[in-house]
Amino acid sequence: MNIQKLIIEAIKEAVQKNIDAKIFPQAQIPDIVLEVPPQKDYGDFATNFAMQSARVFHMAPRKIAEELIKQIESEYLVKAEIAGPGFINFYLKAEVVHNQLKDVIDKGLSYGNLPAKEHARIQVEYVSANPTGPLHVGHGRGAAFGSALVNLLRAAGYDVQSEYYINDAGNQVDNLAASVNARYLELLGKDTEFPENGYHGHDIIDTAQRIIDKENDKYLSMDNDERLAIFKELALKEKLAALKEDLAAFNVHFDKWFSERTLHPAAVEDACAVLMKNGAMYEKDGAKWLKSTEYGDDKDRVVIRDNGVPTYLAADIAYHKNKYERGFDKLINIWGADHHGYICRVKASMKALGFDADKLDVLLLQMVSLYRNGELVKMSKRTGQSVTLSELIEEVGSDAARYFFIMRSLDSQLDFDLDLAKSESSENPVYYVQYAHARICSIFRQAKEAGITVDENTDYSLLTDEAEQALMKKILSYTDEINSAARDYAPHRIANYAHDLAADFHSFYNKCRIIGVDMPLAQARLGLAAAAKNTINHALNILGVNSPEKM
RNA sequence: GCGCCAAUAGCUCAGUUGGAUAGAGCAACGGCCUUCUAAGCCGUGUGUCGCAGGUUCGACUCCUGCUUGGCGCACCA
């Protein structure tokens, strides 16, 4: 049981005593929340309980706080004080803080991994870009955010499965095949027309060229349809391999790659049958429609076209049905903001199938704009002129790219400054954090030489300097940060936390020497540095960013 | 027309179920390396939190209306 919970228990007991003594009336007691106050003068923890309960108790907040303080008993507290409009500030005994620090050091790199939570099986589906071309920077944001979210949720004690949905059926892969086919014929000097919805990217030409390099004009004499079928499989295989390679280079790994093809036709037919049976689907003009308007959608949506071919929605309904049937407690989808109109119909279809639509959370990521030399880098999907993820990684590195994508909240549009991301200087926040880690590693190398070690007898009560105190507090607040960031699906708060922690370390470093001071103090400071190092390392692991030992 | 997101310091952005004096980085200026990495530290200042109402003991945060910018409104994915 952590210290916050113990204090909350002490507050609860004090409330009960006041109720028993008829000082507080019997009432529905609000949740007791402890927060870290904005200033160190306000103690280690504070609660706004007196203000929250003012209404139900029909008492003035400060009066409630006063009575509460009289009854609070805790072996961990030096004192509790009323402040401002009715806050109660708690001041921990120094010894309690030092014991916590000792625990952190003992835990090593596992500090930050919270105990497993109940009913916590979460599935996170992200990226899921069509396997028809290279990933671009927008996918990069989804990939960085998604993988960081998965790491964060795991640290917070959830059982997470990550998944990539491969759109390997339908029009877009036919267009892929047709595009490769056209390039193939073109390269062999044949007259051909490029398909209207074809993919113009250079990677398509590369694919065609590779086919020629390998097997020359072997497919030329073939019937067009037959050749298209072969090219479809060839291109798909190649594109998928490229996707996996790009993602691996970006430190993004999936537990499961789910093929859309496995849903056709049985799972789609089955889902439609259930919708039909539940009266959520009807036939009109030869097509099958989902009655999504009954669930707040603007209009009903076609699921099976009049020619009998299922729409994208059909596969998505079957896919989400499949996810629900796998028994997760929570399903998270990460989509581009341009798909927001889609949420309603997917949720509608899940309700119509009898599932709890609230289990599904769709997170939308806003657009990314690249800036180079202060100017917007223009992108165009139509002509295939866009910066790919692998080009971005090539230019700024995986660490900087990941950090920049993650450090902003998902629902803000992101201005990505390429020059800043690749500058190897203090301007660059990712280096700032990594530098703190490298510095500590350097200290450890030298502390080893100097024979300074941390052990059971290290006396942390010697850490009384302001900089030491601030660093200690920041480290000890990490688990709360993990919990609240996980609760809010907000890995960017871990990026901000890591930056703040690095700042506290750098201040400490400049003020408090480790090597060259009295041995007991040197040991205590080295212990604190160890805790800082592990915490930075853990936070950077969540972000998927490396923790270098030297820079 | 409808829907989603955003609007906070000169710039890019944080601000955790509504709480104490709204914070970082960049940019500007001044200090700190014969001692653990100067990719660092210390100091100086800046805000009608887009506008107008409302709810509340208390609003950057919640509600309503508006303004501006982005995205989307297919039998495409």
Side-chain angles (χ1 to χ4, degrees):
Chain A
M1 190 169 235
N2 69 27
I3 194 73
Q4 282 106 307
K5 282 187 185 149
L6 291 166
I7 294 172
I8 288 171
E9 284 309 308
I11 298 169
K12 276 186 187 160
E13 281 170 30
V15 171
Q16 195 54 51
K17 280 186 208 164
N18 273 299
I19 291 173
D20 293 345
K22 309 246 193 273
I23 294 169
F24 295 168
Q26 279 289 349
Q28 181 69 38
I29 300 165
D31 278 349
I32 298 171
V33 178
L34 270 198
E35 55 184 18
V36 176
Q39 285 179 57
K40 64 178 193 309
D41 306 349
Y42 295 153
D44 297 291
F45 297 109
T47 184
N48 60 357
F49 177 77
M51 283 122 88
Q52 297 289 357
S53 59
R55 201 160 309 161
V56 293
F57 288 163
H58 302 290
M59 289 172 71
R62 285 188 67 100
K63 178 70 178 164
I64 296 171
E66 194 183 308
E67 298 298 338
L68 218 45
I69 286 173
K70 281 186 200 164
Q71 299 296 340
I72 283 190
E73 285 171 32
S74 169
E75 55 181 310
Y76 304 103
L77 295 175
V78 185
K79 59 175 176 177
E81 282 181 352
I82 307 175
F87 288 100
I88 304 173
N89 294 335
F90 299 99
Y91 297 78
L92 291 176
K93 285 183 182 164
E95 166 201 333
V96 174
V97 178
H98 299 141
N99 285 339
Q100 285 186 290
L101 179 63
K102 190 171 260 180
D103 277 350
V104 171
I105 296 165
D106 289 345
K107 281 182 181 152
L109 253 186
S110 72
Y111 175 60
N113 293 340
L114 274 35
K117 288 184 165 58
E118 300 282 319
H119 305 295
R121 287 192 61 218
I122 301 181
Q123 198 244 23
V124 181
E125 183 224 321
Y126 64 105
V127 188
S128 299
N130 289 338
T132 53
L135 296 170
H136 57 71
V137 289
H139 297 125
R141 187 179 193 183
F145 176 90
S147 55
L149 178 63
V150 169
N151 297 338
L152 171 61
L153 291 170
R154 284 185 178 144
Y158 295 95
D159 176 10
V160 186
Q161 189 205 49
S162 60
E163 185 159 308
Y164 189 116
Y165 177 60
I166 310 163
N167 295 116
D168 52 5
N171 278 337
Q172 69 283 356
V173 279
D174 290 337
N175 287 337
L176 172 66
S179 305
V180 171
N181 187 46
R183 293 303 190 192
Y184 179 80
L185 296 175
E186 215 171 81
L187 286 167
L188 291 173
K190 301 289 163 194
D191 253 5
T192 180
E193 221 169 275
F194 200 76
E196 196 185 343
N197 295 317
Y199 297 100
H200 290 77
H202 199 272
D203 59 297
I204 301 294
I205 303 172
D206 294 342
T207 298
Q209 186 61 54
R210 270 191 293 272
I211 294 171
I212 295 167
D213 290 348
K214 212 169 159 188
E215 312 187 89
N216 212 337
D217 60 356
K218 174 178 159 188
Y219 302 103
L220 204 52
S221 57
M222 220 171 243
D223 171 72
N224 203 52
D225 285 348
E226 202 179 336
R227 188 168 59 240
L228 277 171
I230 291 171
F231 282 4
K232 190 201 286 198
E233 297 315 307
L234 252 158
L236 207 48
K237 206 172 156 193
E238 211 182 69
K239 294 297 159 204
L240 207 52
L243 280 175
K244 288 185 183 182
E245 197 180 316
D246 281 1
L247 290 166
F250 203 39
N251 207 359
V252 176
H253 309 276
F254 289 91
D255 297 320
K256 191 175 167 77
W257 293 76
F258 190 104
S259 162
E260 181 191 341
R261 285 181 179 179
T262 62
L263 299 168
H264 298 286
V268 170
E269 285 170 3
D270 178 53
C272 288
V274 178
L275 288 172
M276 204 61 102
K277 187 175 106 247
N278 292 354
M281 191 182 253
Y282 61 91
E283 293 203 45
K284 195 184 84 178
D285 305 332
K288 287 180 179 166
W289 299 70
L290 177 74
K291 274 192 203 169
S292 51
T293 45
E294 287 193 2
Y295 301 89
D297 201 357
D298 294 341
K299 51 174 289 193
D300 289 345
R301 306 290 168 177
V302 171
V303 179
I304 307 291
R305 299 185 182 95
D306 55 11
N307 61 8
V309 177
T311 62
Y312 179 81
L313 177 61
D316 235 8
I317 293 171
Y319 177 45
H320 283 84
K321 178 170 178 286
N322 176 291
K323 290 198 209 181
Y324 270 91
E325 286 167 349
R326 280 187 261 163
F328 295 104
D329 300 298
K330 198 66 165 172
L331 299 171
I332 299 175
N333 289 353
I334 300 171
W335 290 351
D338 52 344
H339 286 67
H340 86 265
Y342 214 73
I343 298 172
C344 189
R345 66 194 81 161
V346 171
K347 288 206 171 207
S349 60
M350 290 305 108
K351 279 183 217 159
L353 287 169
F355 296 117
D356 174 10
D358 290 337
K359 264 193 188 176
L360 176 67
D361 283 325
V362 181
L363 312 183
L364 297 176
L365 55 103
Q366 296 296 319
M367 290 187 56
V368 178
S369 306
L370 292 180
Y371 286 83
R372 187 184 277 119
N373 303 322
E375 277 179 39
L376 181 68
V377 180
K378 291 261 195 306
M379 293 186 231
S380 159
K381 217 171 195 174
R382 195 183 54 77
T383 60
Q385 290 291 318
S386 68
V387 178
T388 65
L389 178 60
S390 63
E391 284 164 353
L392 178 72
I393 295 171
E394 178 76 23
E395 183 166 350
V396 308
S398 171
D399 284 348
R402 286 190 63 99
Y403 195 93
F404 272 62
F405 279 135
I406 297 166
M407 74 179 172
R408 301 301 182 213
S409 113
L410 248 213
D411 38 34
S412 292
Q413 288 171 26
L414 180 69
D415 286 345
F416 193 115
D417 184 339
L418 289 164
D419 303 300
L420 180 61
K422 65 184 166 191
S423 78
E424 296 194 359
S425 75
S426 58
E427 297 163 13
N428 194 335
V430 65
Y431 284 102
Y432 183 85
V433 179
Q434 290 181 315
Y435 184 56
H437 186 268
R439 257 186 163 173
I440 301 172
C441 291
S442 171
I443 292 171
F444 270 87
R445 287 191 291 268
Q446 290 169 68
K448 199 176 172 189
E449 300 271 314
I452 306 166
T453 53
V454 178
D455 59 36
E456 275 303 295
N457 301 316
T458 302
D459 180 8
Y460 297 106
S461 69
L462 298 169
L463 302 174
T464 54
D465 189 274
E466 252 180 66
E468 294 166 335
Q469 295 280 322
L471 179 55
M472 213 182 301
K473 271 193 171 182
K474 179 60 76 178
I475 291 167
L476 293 176
S477 70
Y478 185 51
T479 49
D480 270 1
E481 204 67 41
I482 296 280
N483 250 332
S484 65
R487 178 197 64 206
D488 299 339
Y489 304 154
H492 74 278
R493 294 222 291 259
I494 300 302
N496 291 334
Y497 172 86
H499 192 271
D500 289 350
L501 174 58
D504 284 333
F505 171 76
H506 286 308
S507 294
F508 160 77
Y509 176 90
N510 275 273
K511 207 173 167 197
C512 305
R513 283 195 62 83
I514 294 171
I515 293 160
V517 299
D518 288 346
M519 193 52 100
L521 181 59
Q523 289 177 317
R525 284 179 174 170
L526 192 63
L528 180 57
K533 173 172 162 295
N534 290 334
T535 309
I536 290 172
N537 198 334
H538 193 278
L540 287 178
N541 283 345
I542 286 178
L543 304 181
V545 171
N546 287 298
S547 299
E549 302 206 344
K550 283 183 182 172
M551 281 174 81

